[in-house]
mmCIF file of all heavy atoms in Angstrom:
data_model
loop_
_atom_site.group_PDB
_atom_site.id
_atom_site.type_symbol
_atom_site.label_atom_id
_atom_site.label_comp_id
_atom_site.label_asym_id
_atom_site.label_seq_id
_atom_site.Cartn_x
_atom_site.Cartn_y
_atom_site.Cartn_z
ATOM 1 N N LYS A 105 -155.859 17.878 -189.514
ATOM 2 C CA LYS A 105 -155.436 16.908 -190.521
ATOM 3 C C LYS A 105 -155.891 15.526 -190.115
ATOM 4 O O LYS A 105 -156.051 15.225 -188.936
ATOM 5 C CB LYS A 105 -153.923 16.948 -190.724
ATOM 6 C CG LYS A 105 -153.123 16.115 -189.772
ATOM 7 C CD LYS A 105 -151.663 16.089 -190.205
ATOM 8 C CE LYS A 105 -150.812 15.363 -189.176
ATOM 9 N NZ LYS A 105 -149.390 15.359 -189.530
ATOM 10 N N GLN A 106 -156.107 14.715 -191.112
ATOM 11 C CA GLN A 106 -156.551 13.345 -190.880
ATOM 12 C C GLN A 106 -155.535 12.409 -191.511
ATOM 13 O O GLN A 106 -155.003 12.678 -192.582
ATOM 14 C CB GLN A 106 -157.913 13.105 -191.517
ATOM 15 C CG GLN A 106 -158.952 14.129 -191.111
ATOM 16 C CD GLN A 106 -160.229 13.929 -191.884
ATOM 17 O OE1 GLN A 106 -160.269 14.077 -193.082
ATOM 18 N NE2 GLN A 106 -161.276 13.577 -191.184
ATOM 19 N N VAL A 107 -155.315 11.337 -190.833
ATOM 20 C CA VAL A 107 -154.359 10.359 -191.327
ATOM 21 C C VAL A 107 -154.994 8.985 -191.276
ATOM 22 O O VAL A 107 -155.587 8.608 -190.270
ATOM 23 C CB VAL A 107 -153.064 10.376 -190.489
ATOM 24 C CG1 VAL A 107 -152.112 9.303 -190.965
ATOM 25 C CG2 VAL A 107 -152.405 11.742 -190.577
ATOM 26 N N GLN A 108 -154.908 8.278 -192.340
ATOM 27 C CA GLN A 108 -155.412 6.913 -192.355
ATOM 28 C C GLN A 108 -154.659 6.110 -193.391
ATOM 29 O O GLN A 108 -154.155 6.652 -194.373
ATOM 30 C CB GLN A 108 -156.904 6.888 -192.649
ATOM 31 C CG GLN A 108 -157.219 7.123 -194.111
ATOM 32 C CD GLN A 108 -158.693 7.012 -194.381
ATOM 33 O OE1 GLN A 108 -159.336 7.943 -194.807
ATOM 34 N NE2 GLN A 108 -159.222 5.837 -194.109
ATOM 35 N N ARG A 109 -154.613 4.851 -193.141
ATOM 36 C CA ARG A 109 -153.950 3.956 -194.084
ATOM 37 C C ARG A 109 -154.958 3.470 -195.113
ATOM 38 O O ARG A 109 -156.153 3.412 -194.862
ATOM 39 C CB ARG A 109 -153.329 2.768 -193.354
ATOM 40 C CG ARG A 109 -152.087 3.153 -192.589
ATOM 41 C CD ARG A 109 -151.234 1.955 -192.253
ATOM 42 N NE ARG A 109 -149.996 2.389 -191.585
ATOM 43 C CZ ARG A 109 -148.906 2.707 -192.246
ATOM 44 N NH1 ARG A 109 -148.870 2.638 -193.549
ATOM 45 N NH2 ARG A 109 -147.825 3.080 -191.591
ATOM 46 N N LEU A 110 -154.425 3.123 -196.246
ATOM 47 C CA LEU A 110 -155.279 2.698 -197.335
ATOM 48 C C LEU A 110 -155.503 1.188 -197.265
ATOM 49 O O LEU A 110 -154.569 0.422 -197.050
ATOM 50 C CB LEU A 110 -154.620 3.072 -198.668
ATOM 51 C CG LEU A 110 -155.568 3.219 -199.857
ATOM 52 C CD1 LEU A 110 -156.542 4.347 -199.587
ATOM 53 C CD2 LEU A 110 -154.767 3.491 -201.104
ATOM 54 N N LEU A 111 -156.736 0.829 -197.455
ATOM 55 C CA LEU A 111 -157.046 -0.597 -197.432
ATOM 56 C C LEU A 111 -156.489 -1.257 -198.683
ATOM 57 O O LEU A 111 -156.647 -0.765 -199.782
ATOM 58 C CB LEU A 111 -158.562 -0.783 -197.362
ATOM 59 C CG LEU A 111 -159.034 -2.226 -197.304
ATOM 60 C CD1 LEU A 111 -158.532 -2.902 -196.053
ATOM 61 C CD2 LEU A 111 -160.532 -2.285 -197.391
ATOM 62 N N GLY A 112 -155.876 -2.355 -198.471
ATOM 63 C CA GLY A 112 -155.284 -3.049 -199.603
ATOM 64 C C GLY A 112 -153.810 -2.791 -199.722
ATOM 65 O O GLY A 112 -153.037 -3.716 -199.939
ATOM 66 N N ASP A 113 -153.452 -1.537 -199.559
ATOM 67 C CA ASP A 113 -152.037 -1.185 -199.552
ATOM 68 C C ASP A 113 -151.675 -0.671 -198.176
ATOM 69 O O ASP A 113 -151.899 0.488 -197.860
ATOM 70 C CB ASP A 113 -151.748 -0.109 -200.602
ATOM 71 C CG ASP A 113 -151.753 -0.690 -201.993
ATOM 72 O OD1 ASP A 113 -151.395 -1.867 -202.114
ATOM 73 O OD2 ASP A 113 -152.125 0.007 -202.926
ATOM 74 N N GLU A 114 -151.182 -1.557 -197.404
ATOM 75 C CA GLU A 114 -150.879 -1.192 -196.025
ATOM 76 C C GLU A 114 -149.782 -0.137 -195.945
ATOM 77 O O GLU A 114 -149.711 0.640 -195.014
ATOM 78 C CB GLU A 114 -150.448 -2.450 -195.264
ATOM 79 C CG GLU A 114 -150.218 -2.201 -193.801
ATOM 80 C CD GLU A 114 -149.861 -3.495 -193.111
ATOM 81 O OE1 GLU A 114 -150.146 -4.559 -193.668
ATOM 82 O OE2 GLU A 114 -149.286 -3.434 -192.028
ATOM 83 N N GLY A 115 -148.974 -0.091 -196.955
ATOM 84 C CA GLY A 115 -147.854 0.843 -196.914
ATOM 85 C C GLY A 115 -148.214 2.244 -197.346
ATOM 86 O O GLY A 115 -147.383 3.129 -197.292
ATOM 87 N N VAL A 116 -149.453 2.451 -197.746
ATOM 88 C CA VAL A 116 -149.854 3.764 -198.229
ATOM 89 C C VAL A 116 -150.606 4.507 -197.135
ATOM 90 O O VAL A 116 -151.535 3.971 -196.536
ATOM 91 C CB VAL A 116 -150.739 3.648 -199.481
ATOM 92 C CG1 VAL A 116 -151.186 5.022 -199.946
ATOM 93 C CG2 VAL A 116 -149.989 2.925 -200.576
ATOM 94 N N VAL A 117 -150.197 5.709 -196.890
ATOM 95 C CA VAL A 117 -150.832 6.534 -195.875
ATOM 96 C C VAL A 117 -151.502 7.722 -196.548
ATOM 97 O O VAL A 117 -150.873 8.429 -197.334
ATOM 98 C CB VAL A 117 -149.809 7.037 -194.842
ATOM 99 C CG1 VAL A 117 -150.484 7.939 -193.824
ATOM 100 C CG2 VAL A 117 -149.147 5.860 -194.161
ATOM 101 N N VAL A 118 -152.760 7.912 -196.258
ATOM 102 C CA VAL A 118 -153.498 9.039 -196.820
ATOM 103 C C VAL A 118 -153.560 10.143 -195.782
ATOM 104 O O VAL A 118 -154.092 9.967 -194.692
ATOM 105 C CB VAL A 118 -154.925 8.629 -197.213
ATOM 106 C CG1 VAL A 118 -155.658 9.809 -197.851
ATOM 107 C CG2 VAL A 118 -154.882 7.444 -198.164
ATOM 108 N N THR A 119 -153.001 11.266 -196.125
ATOM 109 C CA THR A 119 -153.010 12.410 -195.215
ATOM 110 C C THR A 119 -153.862 13.521 -195.815
ATOM 111 O O THR A 119 -153.683 13.897 -196.965
ATOM 112 C CB THR A 119 -151.582 12.920 -194.986
ATOM 113 O OG1 THR A 119 -150.758 11.830 -194.569
ATOM 114 C CG2 THR A 119 -151.574 14.001 -193.909
ATOM 115 N N THR A 120 -154.769 14.027 -195.048
ATOM 116 C CA THR A 120 -155.651 15.095 -195.515
ATOM 117 C C THR A 120 -155.493 16.312 -194.620
ATOM 118 O O THR A 120 -155.706 16.220 -193.411
ATOM 119 C CB THR A 120 -157.115 14.628 -195.491
ATOM 120 O OG1 THR A 120 -157.243 13.443 -196.265
ATOM 121 C CG2 THR A 120 -158.021 15.708 -196.051
ATOM 122 N N TYR A 121 -155.141 17.419 -195.219
ATOM 123 C CA TYR A 121 -154.983 18.658 -194.463
ATOM 124 C C TYR A 121 -156.218 19.524 -194.658
ATOM 125 O O TYR A 121 -156.835 19.526 -195.711
ATOM 126 C CB TYR A 121 -153.746 19.424 -194.935
ATOM 127 C CG TYR A 121 -152.463 18.868 -194.378
ATOM 128 C CD1 TYR A 121 -151.835 17.797 -194.987
ATOM 129 C CD2 TYR A 121 -151.906 19.413 -193.233
ATOM 130 C CE1 TYR A 121 -150.663 17.282 -194.478
ATOM 131 C CE2 TYR A 121 -150.737 18.906 -192.721
ATOM 132 C CZ TYR A 121 -150.120 17.842 -193.347
ATOM 133 O OH TYR A 121 -148.965 17.333 -192.841
#
Side-chain angles (χ1 to χ4, degrees):
Chain A
K105 85 172 174 182
Q106 308 174 296
V107 177
Q108 76 177 118
R109 286 199 176 271
L110 203 62
L111 181 63
D113 285 329
E114 185 177 341
V116 178
V117 178
V118 182
T119 307
T120 304
Y121 281 84

